Amino acid sequence: MKNNLKIFSITFDTKVKILIIICVIIAITIISYSFYYICVNNSNKAQEFESKNVESILDVKSYEAKYSIVVNSNKTTNTYMICEDVDFENNIYNITVNNDLNISITSDSTKLQKNDMQYEYISQEISFKNPIAFSSIINCIKKISSDQIKGKITRVEQNDRYIYEITTEEEYIEKVKKIEICVLKENCKIFEIKMYNFDEKELYSIAFESFNVKK
């Protein structure tokens, strides 16, 4: 009885073709994943805010910001690191101070938490008129633009920057009379904010690490 043996041999050309096909499949997979990550997945992530005028910030509906704020009092100067996650549409404000104090504000309540201690309030004034919160400045601009409070916004050109001066006739943010928002001409990014009292003394200075618009 004769055994028939079938031997399957892959020639050099066949090996090369298989290798090319595998490489093409891998390349298509990588390109598809990169397209999804960059064009689709990143579409829902925050984008760095750029603006040619301060009024356009009123169109921001939600943002994340990191910045340091210098607080000048009569005898001392203190610096705090602030993280803000704000959603104007849903009236949600989350503020973290020095990675220690957490302030969470919704339409119903205001919660302060530090270590294992937690307090709850009803008023939202801690957000709307709090000088350490950038959202307070945005709300102040909104109030002036809609004539809910008396004030004005002017732009001054200075070397490589524009300085927007926001003045109010009444106290909206606690003890603050004038706000200066400094914007670089080159990329139109806000990089510094200063706030002054009614005697033109600088009370607060904000330096941004990042300001990203989510929607």
Side-chain angles (χ1 to χ4, degrees):
M1 186 175 180
K2 187 180 292 184
N3 293 326
N4 294 324
L5 298 176
K6 293 183 179 180
I7 300 175
F8 179 74
S9 62
I10 299 177
T11 65
F12 178 76
D13 289 341
T14 304
K15 290 180 181 179
V16 172
K17 290 178 181 178
I18 292 173
L19 182 60
I20 291 173
I21 292 172
I22 292 172
C23 291
V24 170
I25 293 172
I26 293 173
I28 292 173
T29 302
I30 293 173
I31 292 171
S32 299
Y33 175 78
S34 299
F35 176 80
Y36 170 80
Y37 183 80
I38 295 172
C39 298
V40 178
N41 192 36
N42 273 3
S43 64
N44 296 321
K45 294 186 177 180
Q47 302 294 322
E48 185 73 19
F49 177 75
E50 296 184 7
S51 171
K52 293 185 179 180
N53 59 72
V54 74
E55 287 85 357
S56 64
I57 204 169
L58 302 182
D59 297 327
V60 173
K61 298 176 182 178
S62 180
Y63 71 85
E64 294 175 347
K66 292 183 180 180
Y67 52 88
S68 62
I69 180 167
V70 177
V71 179
N72 299 310
S73 62
N74 291 332
K75 296 181 179 180
T76 61
T77 298
N78 296 299
T79 302
Y80 302 94
M81 296 302 301
I82 309 295
C83 294
E84 267 194 307
D85 188 349
V86 175
D87 186 338
F88 289 115
E89 280 189 318
N90 296 305
N91 211 19
I92 298 173
Y93 302 80
N94 291 302
I95 304 167
T96 303
V97 182
N98 288 342
N99 292 319
D100 185 20
L101 173 64
N102 296 307
I103 305 171
S104 179
I105 302 164
T106 65
S107 300
D108 300 324
S109 66
T110 297
K111 294 180 180 179
L112 279 72
Q113 184 172 356
K114 185 174 182 180
N115 300 326
D116 296 329
M117 302 180 67
Q118 182 169 304
Y119 306 90
E120 188 167 344
Y121 302 86
I122 301 299
S123 174
Q124 289 185 326
E125 296 299 300
I126 194 170
S127 169
F128 292 162
K129 299 186 178 182
N130 189 344
I132 71 167
F134 181 57
S135 53
S136 297
I137 296 174
I138 296 178
N139 282 321
C140 181
I141 296 171
K142 288 180 179 179
K143 295 286 186 183
I144 293 173
S145 299
S146 60
D147 295 323
Q148 295 183 52
I149 61 173
K150 293 182 179 180
K152 63 179 181 178
I153 302 171
T154 57
R155 190 181 79 172
V156 178
E157 187 173 352
Q158 187 182 91
N159 299 325
D160 61 342
R161 67 191 64 180
Y162 294 117
I163 299 176
Y164 290 89
E165 293 184 355
I166 302 163
T167 56
T168 59
E169 295 182 18
E170 55 191 277
E171 185 178 302
Y172 179 75
I173 299 176
E174 186 179 0
K175 298 181 180 179
V176 173
K177 165 69 174 179
K178 182 176 74 172
I179 304 168
E180 289 183 347
I181 300 179
C182 301
V183 180
L184 288 174
K185 289 182 182 178
E186 181 182 1
N187 52 24
C188 300
K189 291 181 181 178
I190 298 172
F191 71 94
E192 186 180 43
I193 295 175
K194 294 182 178 181
M195 288 175 267
Y196 302 85
N197 65 10
F198 284 73
D199 296 324
E200 293 290 325
K201 179 183 177 182
E202 184 181 316
L203 296 180
Y204 309 99
S205 177
I206 294 176
F208 277 90
E209 179 181 324
S210 65
F211 182 77
N212 299 313
V213 175
K214 293 196 290 184
K215 58 181 178 178

